[in-house]
Amino acid sequence: QVQLVESGGGLVQTGESLRLSCVASTRRFSSFAMGWFRQRPGDDREFVAGISWIVSDIYYADSVKGRFTISRDNAKNTVYLQMDNLKPEDTAVYYCAADPNDLFSNGGVSMNVNWGQGIQVTVSS
């Protein structure tokens, strides 16, 4: 089991930026594909971005391409989500995911996925 702790959320205005961080408590961080998902009230959790074990593959949802950037620092057990040009529709709870099976190319997760507790991002218009 991997514990994930997100930080960096908050309230911003349209067009502003935020950077989310997620620290994983595992000695095998580089063995996990890492991703970010979000969930709006009343909606299902949706894929936002994913990055493979050794950063060779990166995936984004169409709604965030060109605005969000995912990266990872295996030495710090941390994955980041840089969110630029934020829009009100980006308002959601954002969840970090650590998956030993990299299914993010399909926007999915395996049954072995680990989730963070979630962090609120609110973008005002």
PDB file of all heavy atoms in Angstrom, residues 65-98:
ATOM      1  N   LYS A  65      -4.965  19.621 -22.333  1.00  0.00           N
ATOM      2  CA  LYS A  65      -3.777  19.675 -23.192  1.00  0.00           C
ATOM      3  C   LYS A  65      -3.403  21.117 -23.505  1.00  0.00           C
ATOM      4  O   LYS A  65      -4.263  21.932 -23.842  1.00  0.00           O
ATOM      5  CB  LYS A  65      -4.037  18.913 -24.494  1.00  0.00           C
ATOM      6  CG  LYS A  65      -3.889  17.426 -24.372  1.00  0.00           C
ATOM      7  CD  LYS A  65      -4.149  16.744 -25.709  1.00  0.00           C
ATOM      8  CE  LYS A  65      -4.047  15.229 -25.583  1.00  0.00           C
ATOM      9  NZ  LYS A  65      -4.376  14.538 -26.854  1.00  0.00           N
ATOM     10  N   GLY A  66      -2.104  21.412 -23.367  1.00  0.00           N
ATOM     11  CA  GLY A  66      -1.619  22.756 -23.634  1.00  0.00           C
ATOM     12  C   GLY A  66      -1.711  23.691 -22.447  1.00  0.00           C
ATOM     13  O   GLY A  66      -1.168  24.799 -22.483  1.00  0.00           O
ATOM     14  N   ARG A  67      -2.411  23.268 -21.382  1.00  0.00           N
ATOM     15  CA  ARG A  67      -2.541  24.111 -20.177  1.00  0.00           C
ATOM     16  C   ARG A  67      -1.918  23.456 -18.954  1.00  0.00           C
ATOM     17  O   ARG A  67      -1.394  24.153 -18.087  1.00  0.00           O
ATOM     18  CB  ARG A  67      -4.017  24.402 -19.903  1.00  0.00           C
ATOM     19  CG  ARG A  67      -4.727  25.127 -21.024  1.00  0.00           C
ATOM     20  CD  ARG A  67      -6.140  25.561 -20.594  1.00  0.00           C
ATOM     21  NE  ARG A  67      -6.991  24.434 -20.241  1.00  0.00           N
ATOM     22  CZ  ARG A  67      -7.564  24.269 -19.050  1.00  0.00           C
ATOM     23  NH1 ARG A  67      -7.372  25.164 -18.098  1.00  0.00           N
ATOM     24  NH2 ARG A  67      -8.340  23.226 -18.823  1.00  0.00           N
ATOM     25  N   PHE A  68      -1.991  22.138 -18.879  1.00  0.00           N
ATOM     26  CA  PHE A  68      -1.468  21.416 -17.717  1.00  0.00           C
ATOM     27  C   PHE A  68      -0.211  20.651 -18.109  1.00  0.00           C
ATOM     28  O   PHE A  68      -0.087  20.173 -19.246  1.00  0.00           O
ATOM     29  CB  PHE A  68      -2.499  20.415 -17.188  1.00  0.00           C
ATOM     30  CG  PHE A  68      -3.701  21.021 -16.519  1.00  0.00           C
ATOM     31  CD1 PHE A  68      -3.992  22.374 -16.597  1.00  0.00           C
ATOM     32  CD2 PHE A  68      -4.576  20.216 -15.802  1.00  0.00           C
ATOM     33  CE1 PHE A  68      -5.105  22.918 -15.979  1.00  0.00           C
ATOM     34  CE2 PHE A  68      -5.690  20.739 -15.172  1.00  0.00           C
ATOM     35  CZ  PHE A  68      -5.962  22.095 -15.262  1.00  0.00           C
ATOM     36  N   THR A  69       0.711  20.522 -17.150  1.00  0.00           N
ATOM     37  CA  THR A  69       1.937  19.767 -17.367  1.00  0.00           C
ATOM     38  C   THR A  69       2.192  18.860 -16.175  1.00  0.00           C
ATOM     39  O   THR A  69       2.260  19.341 -15.036  1.00  0.00           O
ATOM     40  CB  THR A  69       3.134  20.704 -17.561  1.00  0.00           C
ATOM     41  OG1 THR A  69       2.883  21.612 -18.633  1.00  0.00           O
ATOM     42  CG2 THR A  69       4.403  19.906 -17.862  1.00  0.00           C
ATOM     43  N   ILE A  70       2.337  17.574 -16.442  1.00  0.00           N
ATOM     44  CA  ILE A  70       2.663  16.622 -15.387  1.00  0.00           C
ATOM     45  C   ILE A  70       4.153  16.317 -15.445  1.00  0.00           C
ATOM     46  O   ILE A  70       4.745  16.241 -16.528  1.00  0.00           O
ATOM     47  CB  ILE A  70       1.824  15.321 -15.522  1.00  0.00           C
ATOM     48  CG1 ILE A  70       2.023  14.433 -14.294  1.00  0.00           C
ATOM     49  CG2 ILE A  70       2.141  14.587 -16.815  1.00  0.00           C
ATOM     50  CD1 ILE A  70       1.067  13.234 -14.253  1.00  0.00           C
ATOM     51  N   SER A  71       4.743  16.161 -14.257  1.00  0.00           N
ATOM     52  CA  SER A  71       6.156  15.801 -14.183  1.00  0.00           C
ATOM     53  C   SER A  71       6.375  15.007 -12.901  1.00  0.00           C
ATOM     54  O   SER A  71       5.511  14.978 -12.022  1.00  0.00           O
ATOM     55  CB  SER A  71       7.045  17.041 -14.213  1.00  0.00           C
ATOM     56  OG  SER A  71       6.770  17.889 -13.111  1.00  0.00           O
ATOM     57  N   ARG A  72       7.524  14.362 -12.814  1.00  0.00           N
ATOM     58  CA  ARG A  72       7.830  13.590 -11.608  1.00  0.00           C
ATOM     59  C   ARG A  72       9.308  13.726 -11.281  1.00  0.00           C
ATOM     60  O   ARG A  72      10.153  13.910 -12.175  1.00  0.00           O
ATOM     61  CB  ARG A  72       7.448  12.132 -11.788  1.00  0.00           C
ATOM     62  CG  ARG A  72       8.245  11.363 -12.804  1.00  0.00           C
ATOM     63  CD  ARG A  72       7.646   9.948 -13.022  1.00  0.00           C
ATOM     64  NE  ARG A  72       7.795   9.117 -11.841  1.00  0.00           N
ATOM     65  CZ  ARG A  72       7.093   8.002 -11.643  1.00  0.00           C
ATOM     66  NH1 ARG A  72       6.194   7.595 -12.548  1.00  0.00           N
ATOM     67  NH2 ARG A  72       7.285   7.284 -10.547  1.00  0.00           N
ATOM     68  N   ASP A  73       9.589  13.631  -9.982  1.00  0.00           N
ATOM     69  CA  ASP A  73      10.962  13.639  -9.500  1.00  0.00           C
ATOM     70  C   ASP A  73      11.127  12.372  -8.666  1.00  0.00           C
ATOM     71  O   ASP A  73      10.696  12.333  -7.509  1.00  0.00           O
ATOM     72  CB  ASP A  73      11.220  14.898  -8.667  1.00  0.00           C
ATOM     73  CG  ASP A  73      12.671  15.031  -8.231  1.00  0.00           C
ATOM     74  OD1 ASP A  73      13.391  14.016  -8.194  1.00  0.00           O
ATOM     75  OD2 ASP A  73      13.080  16.141  -7.907  1.00  0.00           O
ATOM     76  N   ASN A  74      11.717  11.353  -9.256  1.00  0.00           N
ATOM     77  CA  ASN A  74      11.825  10.065  -8.567  1.00  0.00           C
ATOM     78  C   ASN A  74      12.728  10.149  -7.333  1.00  0.00           C
ATOM     79  O   ASN A  74      12.560   9.372  -6.388  1.00  0.00           O
ATOM     80  CB  ASN A  74      12.323   8.989  -9.522  1.00  0.00           C
ATOM     81  CG  ASN A  74      11.267   8.580 -10.543  1.00  0.00           C
ATOM     82  OD1 ASN A  74      10.078   8.862 -10.386  1.00  0.00           O
ATOM     83  ND2 ASN A  74      11.691   7.939 -11.620  1.00  0.00           N
ATOM     84  N   ALA A  75      13.667  11.088  -7.316  1.00  0.00           N
ATOM     85  CA  ALA A  75      14.535  11.240  -6.147  1.00  0.00           C
ATOM     86  C   ALA A  75      13.775  11.795  -4.950  1.00  0.00           C
ATOM     87  O   ALA A  75      14.179  11.586  -3.799  1.00  0.00           O
ATOM     88  CB  ALA A  75      15.705  12.147  -6.485  1.00  0.00           C
ATOM     89  N   LYS A  76      12.676  12.500  -5.214  1.00  0.00           N
ATOM     90  CA  LYS A  76      11.876  13.095  -4.144  1.00  0.00           C
ATOM     91  C   LYS A  76      10.539  12.379  -3.939  1.00  0.00           C
ATOM     92  O   LYS A  76       9.692  12.849  -3.170  1.00  0.00           O
ATOM     93  CB  LYS A  76      11.614  14.576  -4.441  1.00  0.00           C
ATOM     94  CG  LYS A  76      12.868  15.431  -4.466  1.00  0.00           C
ATOM     95  CD  LYS A  76      12.527  16.896  -4.721  1.00  0.00           C
ATOM     96  CE  LYS A  76      13.783  17.753  -4.696  1.00  0.00           C
ATOM     97  NZ  LYS A  76      13.473  19.189  -4.935  1.00  0.00           N
ATOM     98  N   ASN A  77      10.320  11.285  -4.656  1.00  0.00           N
ATOM     99  CA  ASN A  77       9.047  10.545  -4.546  1.00  0.00           C
ATOM    100  C   ASN A  77       7.842  11.461  -4.784  1.00  0.00           C
ATOM    101  O   ASN A  77       6.815  11.334  -4.113  1.00  0.00           O
ATOM    102  CB  ASN A  77       8.912   9.886  -3.165  1.00  0.00           C
ATOM    103  CG  ASN A  77       9.699   8.592  -3.061  1.00  0.00           C
ATOM    104  OD1 ASN A  77      10.593   8.339  -3.862  1.00  0.00           O
ATOM    105  ND2 ASN A  77       9.380   7.773  -2.074  1.00  0.00           N
ATOM    106  N   THR A  78       7.968  12.352  -5.732  1.00  0.00           N
ATOM    107  CA  THR A  78       6.954  13.385  -5.919  1.00  0.00           C
ATOM    108  C   THR A  78       6.540  13.485  -7.379  1.00  0.00           C
ATOM    109  O   THR A  78       7.386  13.423  -8.281  1.00  0.00           O
ATOM    110  CB  THR A  78       7.480  14.747  -5.435  1.00  0.00           C
ATOM    111  OG1 THR A  78       7.855  14.648  -4.061  1.00  0.00           O
ATOM    112  CG2 THR A  78       6.411  15.820  -5.583  1.00  0.00           C
ATOM    113  N   VAL A  79       5.234  13.661  -7.574  1.00  0.00           N
ATOM    114  CA  VAL A  79       4.689  13.981  -8.890  1.00  0.00           C
ATOM    115  C   VAL A  79       4.015  15.334  -8.802  1.00  0.00           C
ATOM    116  O   VAL A  79       3.443  15.689  -7.765  1.00  0.00           O
ATOM    117  CB  VAL A  79       3.706  12.886  -9.373  1.00  0.00           C
ATOM    118  CG1 VAL A  79       2.509  12.771  -8.454  1.00  0.00           C
ATOM    119  CG2 VAL A  79       3.274  13.137 -10.805  1.00  0.00           C
ATOM    120  N   TYR A  80       4.125  16.099  -9.872  1.00  0.00           N
ATOM    121  CA  TYR A  80       3.596  17.457  -9.911  1.00  0.00           C
ATOM    122  C   TYR A  80       2.556  17.597 -11.018  1.00  0.00           C
ATOM    123  O   TYR A  80       2.597  16.882 -12.023  1.00  0.00           O
ATOM    124  CB  TYR A  80       4.714  18.464 -10.165  1.00  0.00           C
ATOM    125  CG  TYR A  80       5.855  18.392  -9.192  1.00  0.00           C
ATOM    126  CD1 TYR A  80       7.013  17.672  -9.497  1.00  0.00           C
ATOM    127  CD2 TYR A  80       5.789  19.046  -7.962  1.00  0.00           C
ATOM    128  CE1 TYR A  80       8.073  17.594  -8.606  1.00  0.00           C
ATOM    129  CE2 TYR A  80       6.847  18.978  -7.063  1.00  0.00           C
ATOM    130  CZ  TYR A  80       7.981  18.261  -7.391  1.00  0.00           C
ATOM    131  OH  TYR A  80       9.026  18.185  -6.506  1.00  0.00           O
ATOM    132  N   LEU A  81       1.674  18.551 -10.834  1.00  0.00           N
ATOM    133  CA  LEU A  81       0.756  18.945 -11.898  1.00  0.00           C
ATOM    134  C   LEU A  81       0.747  20.469 -11.953  1.00  0.00           C
ATOM    135  O   LEU A  81       0.193  21.120 -11.067  1.00  0.00           O
ATOM    136  CB  LEU A  81      -0.651  18.413 -11.665  1.00  0.00           C
ATOM    137  CG  LEU A  81      -1.629  18.687 -12.812  1.00  0.00           C
ATOM    138  CD1 LEU A  81      -1.228  17.881 -14.056  1.00  0.00           C
ATOM    139  CD2 LEU A  81      -3.068  18.360 -12.414  1.00  0.00           C
ATOM    140  N   GLN A  82       1.418  21.006 -12.949  1.00  0.00           N
ATOM    141  CA  GLN A  82       1.408  22.446 -13.169  1.00  0.00           C
ATOM    142  C   GLN A  82       0.180  22.800 -13.983  1.00  0.00           C
ATOM    143  O   GLN A  82      -0.002  22.283 -15.094  1.00  0.00           O
ATOM    144  CB  GLN A  82       2.674  22.879 -13.913  1.00  0.00           C
ATOM    145  CG  GLN A  82       2.736  24.348 -14.261  1.00  0.00           C
ATOM    146  CD  GLN A  82       2.840  25.240 -13.045  1.00  0.00           C
ATOM    147  OE1 GLN A  82       3.559  24.929 -12.097  1.00  0.00           O
ATOM    148  NE2 GLN A  82       2.120  26.356 -13.047  1.00  0.00           N
ATOM    149  N   MET A  83      -0.663  23.650 -13.433  1.00  0.00           N
ATOM    150  CA  MET A  83      -1.921  24.015 -14.083  1.00  0.00           C
ATOM    151  C   MET A  83      -1.894  25.498 -14.418  1.00  0.00           C
ATOM    152  O   MET A  83      -1.873  26.333 -13.512  1.00  0.00           O
ATOM    153  CB  MET A  83      -3.096  23.686 -13.169  1.00  0.00           C
ATOM    154  CG  MET A  83      -3.111  22.238 -12.699  1.00  0.00           C
ATOM    155  SD  MET A  83      -4.578  21.822 -11.746  1.00  0.00           S
ATOM    156  CE  MET A  83      -4.312  22.811 -10.277  1.00  0.00           C
ATOM    157  N   ASP A  84      -1.848  25.810 -15.689  1.00  0.00           N
ATOM    158  CA  ASP A  84      -1.810  27.187 -16.162  1.00  0.00           C
ATOM    159  C   ASP A  84      -3.118  27.541 -16.864  1.00  0.00           C
ATOM    160  O   ASP A  84      -3.852  26.666 -17.311  1.00  0.00           O
ATOM    161  CB  ASP A  84      -0.640  27.387 -17.123  1.00  0.00           C
ATOM    162  CG  ASP A  84       0.702  27.155 -16.458  1.00  0.00           C
ATOM    163  OD1 ASP A  84       0.857  27.562 -15.299  1.00  0.00           O
ATOM    164  OD2 ASP A  84       1.596  26.577 -17.105  1.00  0.00           O
ATOM    165  N   ASN A  85      -3.367  28.835 -16.971  1.00  0.00           N
ATOM    166  CA  ASN A  85      -4.568  29.316 -17.645  1.00  0.00           C
ATOM    167  C   ASN A  85      -5.817  28.579 -17.147  1.00  0.00           C
ATOM    168  O   ASN A  85      -6.623  28.068 -17.927  1.00  0.00           O
ATOM    169  CB  ASN A  85      -4.427  29.150 -19.160  1.00  0.00           C
ATOM    170  CG  ASN A  85      -5.527  29.843 -19.938  1.00  0.00           C
ATOM    171  OD1 ASN A  85      -6.164  30.766 -19.427  1.00  0.00           O
ATOM    172  ND2 ASN A  85      -5.764  29.396 -21.156  1.00  0.00           N
ATOM    173  N   LEU A  86      -5.979  28.566 -15.848  1.00  0.00           N
ATOM    174  CA  LEU A  86      -7.089  27.829 -15.252  1.00  0.00           C
ATOM    175  C   LEU A  86      -8.437  28.440 -15.616  1.00  0.00           C
ATOM    176  O   LEU A  86      -8.562  29.663 -15.790  1.00  0.00           O
ATOM    177  CB  LEU A  86      -6.922  27.776 -13.738  1.00  0.00           C
ATOM    178  CG  LEU A  86      -5.884  26.737 -13.256  1.00  0.00           C
ATOM    179  CD1 LEU A  86      -5.422  27.054 -11.844  1.00  0.00           C
ATOM    180  CD2 LEU A  86      -6.481  25.347 -13.332  1.00  0.00           C
ATOM    181  N   LYS A  87      -9.426  27.561 -15.731  1.00  0.00           N
ATOM    182  CA  LYS A  87     -10.783  27.961 -16.099  1.00  0.00           C
ATOM    183  C   LYS A  87     -11.747  27.510 -15.006  1.00  0.00           C
ATOM    184  O   LYS A  87     -11.451  26.564 -14.261  1.00  0.00           O
ATOM    185  CB  LYS A  87     -11.171  27.296 -17.419  1.00  0.00           C
ATOM    186  CG  LYS A  87     -10.226  27.581 -18.566  1.00  0.00           C
ATOM    187  CD  LYS A  87     -10.623  26.821 -19.814  1.00  0.00           C
ATOM    188  CE  LYS A  87      -9.657  27.089 -20.962  1.00  0.00           C
ATOM    189  NZ  LYS A  87     -10.046  26.345 -22.188  1.00  0.00           N
ATOM    190  N   PRO A  88     -12.914  28.148 -14.920  1.00  0.00           N
ATOM    191  CA  PRO A  88     -13.889  27.717 -13.899  1.00  0.00           C
ATOM    192  C   PRO A  88     -14.236  26.230 -14.002  1.00  0.00           C
ATOM    193  O   PRO A  88     -14.469  25.581 -12.971  1.00  0.00           O
ATOM    194  CB  PRO A  88     -15.096  28.607 -14.195  1.00  0.00           C
ATOM    195  CG  PRO A  88     -14.498  29.846 -14.779  1.00  0.00           C
ATOM    196  CD  PRO A  88     -13.332  29.369 -15.608  1.00  0.00           C
ATOM    197  N   GLU A  89     -14.237  25.684 -15.201  1.00  0.00           N
ATOM    198  CA  GLU A  89     -14.568  24.265 -15.357  1.00  0.00           C
ATOM    199  C   GLU A  89     -13.471  23.329 -14.845  1.00  0.00           C
ATOM    200  O   GLU A  89     -13.665  22.115 -14.793  1.00  0.00           O
ATOM    201  CB  GLU A  89     -14.885  23.926 -16.818  1.00  0.00           C
ATOM    202  CG  GLU A  89     -13.837  24.383 -17.813  1.00  0.00           C
ATOM    203  CD  GLU A  89     -14.179  25.736 -18.450  1.00  0.00           C
ATOM    204  OE1 GLU A  89     -14.643  26.647 -17.715  1.00  0.00           O
ATOM    205  OE2 GLU A  89     -13.951  25.876 -19.676  1.00  0.00           O
ATOM    206  N   ASP A  90     -12.324  23.883 -14.467  1.00  0.00           N
ATOM    207  CA  ASP A  90     -11.280  23.082 -13.825  1.00  0.00           C
ATOM    208  C   ASP A  90     -11.539  22.897 -12.333  1.00  0.00           C
ATOM    209  O   ASP A  90     -10.819  22.148 -11.667  1.00  0.00           O
ATOM    210  CB  ASP A  90      -9.908  23.734 -14.011  1.00  0.00           C
ATOM    211  CG  ASP A  90      -9.462  23.768 -15.462  1.00  0.00           C
ATOM    212  OD1 ASP A  90      -9.651  22.758 -16.175  1.00  0.00           O
ATOM    213  OD2 ASP A  90      -8.935  24.819 -15.889  1.00  0.00           O
ATOM    214  N   THR A  91     -12.540  23.582 -11.818  1.00  0.00           N
ATOM    215  CA  THR A  91     -12.890  23.453 -10.410  1.00  0.00           C
ATOM    216  C   THR A  91     -13.296  22.020 -10.097  1.00  0.00           C
ATOM    217  O   THR A  91     -14.193  21.471 -10.731  1.00  0.00           O
ATOM    218  CB  THR A  91     -14.034  24.418 -10.048  1.00  0.00           C
ATOM    219  OG1 THR A  91     -13.579  25.764 -10.209  1.00  0.00           O
ATOM    220  CG2 THR A  91     -14.498  24.195  -8.618  1.00  0.00           C
ATOM    221  N   ALA A  92     -12.612  21.421  -9.120  1.00  0.00           N
ATOM    222  CA  ALA A  92     -12.852  20.023  -8.782  1.00  0.00           C
ATOM    223  C   ALA A  92     -11.968  19.637  -7.602  1.00  0.00           C
ATOM    224  O   ALA A  92     -11.074  20.400  -7.212  1.00  0.00           O
ATOM    225  CB  ALA A  92     -12.536  19.116  -9.972  1.00  0.00           C
ATOM    226  N   VAL A  93     -12.210  18.453  -7.089  1.00  0.00           N
ATOM    227  CA  VAL A  93     -11.259  17.833  -6.167  1.00  0.00           C
ATOM    228  C   VAL A  93     -10.288  17.016  -7.020  1.00  0.00           C
ATOM    229  O   VAL A  93     -10.721  16.197  -7.842  1.00  0.00           O
ATOM    230  CB  VAL A  93     -11.958  16.934  -5.137  1.00  0.00           C
ATOM    231  CG1 VAL A  93     -10.921  16.231  -4.262  1.00  0.00           C
ATOM    232  CG2 VAL A  93     -12.921  17.753  -4.278  1.00  0.00           C
ATOM    233  N   TYR A  94      -9.005  17.260  -6.821  1.00  0.00           N
ATOM    234  CA  TYR A  94      -7.971  16.578  -7.603  1.00  0.00           C
ATOM    235  C   TYR A  94      -7.338  15.463  -6.772  1.00  0.00           C
ATOM    236  O   TYR A  94      -6.993  15.672  -5.603  1.00  0.00           O
ATOM    237  CB  TYR A  94      -6.905  17.584  -8.052  1.00  0.00           C
ATOM    238  CG  TYR A  94      -7.377  18.440  -9.204  1.00  0.00           C
ATOM    239  CD1 TYR A  94      -8.352  19.416  -9.023  1.00  0.00           C
ATOM    240  CD2 TYR A  94      -6.869  18.254 -10.485  1.00  0.00           C
ATOM    241  CE1 TYR A  94      -8.810  20.175 -10.092  1.00  0.00           C
ATOM    242  CE2 TYR A  94      -7.318  19.008 -11.556  1.00  0.00           C
ATOM    243  CZ  TYR A  94      -8.292  19.967 -11.352  1.00  0.00           C
ATOM    244  OH  TYR A  94      -8.743  20.724 -12.412  1.00  0.00           O
ATOM    245  N   TYR A  95      -7.198  14.305  -7.408  1.00  0.00           N
ATOM    246  CA  TYR A  95      -6.656  13.131  -6.732  1.00  0.00           C
ATOM    247  C   TYR A  95      -5.383  12.661  -7.414  1.00  0.00           C
ATOM    248  O   TYR A  95      -5.323  12.567  -8.643  1.00  0.00           O
ATOM    249  CB  TYR A  95      -7.671  11.988  -6.763  1.00  0.00           C
ATOM    250  CG  TYR A  95      -8.935  12.243  -5.996  1.00  0.00           C
ATOM    251  CD1 TYR A  95     -10.030  12.842  -6.598  1.00  0.00           C
ATOM    252  CD2 TYR A  95      -9.034  11.887  -4.656  1.00  0.00           C
ATOM    253  CE1 TYR A  95     -11.197  13.088  -5.893  1.00  0.00           C
ATOM    254  CE2 TYR A  95     -10.198  12.117  -3.946  1.00  0.00           C
ATOM    255  CZ  TYR A  95     -11.275  12.717  -4.568  1.00  0.00           C
ATOM    256  OH  TYR A  95     -12.426  12.957  -3.859  1.00  0.00           O
ATOM    257  N   CYS A  96      -4.407  12.342  -6.610  1.00  0.00           N
ATOM    258  CA  CYS A  96      -3.178  11.730  -7.092  1.00  0.00           C
ATOM    259  C   CYS A  96      -3.369  10.210  -7.118  1.00  0.00           C
ATOM    260  O   CYS A  96      -4.030   9.650  -6.233  1.00  0.00           O
ATOM    261  CB  CYS A  96      -2.040  12.114  -6.134  1.00  0.00           C
ATOM    262  SG  CYS A  96      -0.444  11.389  -6.502  1.00  0.00           S
ATOM    263  N   ALA A  97      -2.787   9.554  -8.114  1.00  0.00           N
ATOM    264  CA  ALA A  97      -2.901   8.108  -8.243  1.00  0.00           C
ATOM    265  C   ALA A  97      -1.539   7.497  -8.510  1.00  0.00           C
ATOM    266  O   ALA A  97      -0.758   8.036  -9.308  1.00  0.00           O
ATOM    267  CB  ALA A  97      -3.856   7.746  -9.376  1.00  0.00           C
ATOM    268  N   ALA A  98      -1.278   6.386  -7.840  1.00  0.00           N
ATOM    269  CA  ALA A  98      -0.053   5.611  -8.074  1.00  0.00           C
ATOM    270  C   ALA A  98      -0.471   4.213  -8.495  1.00  0.00           C
ATOM    271  O   ALA A  98      -1.173   3.524  -7.763  1.00  0.00           O
ATOM    272  CB  ALA A  98       0.799   5.555  -6.814  1.00  0.00           C
TER     273      ALA A  98
END
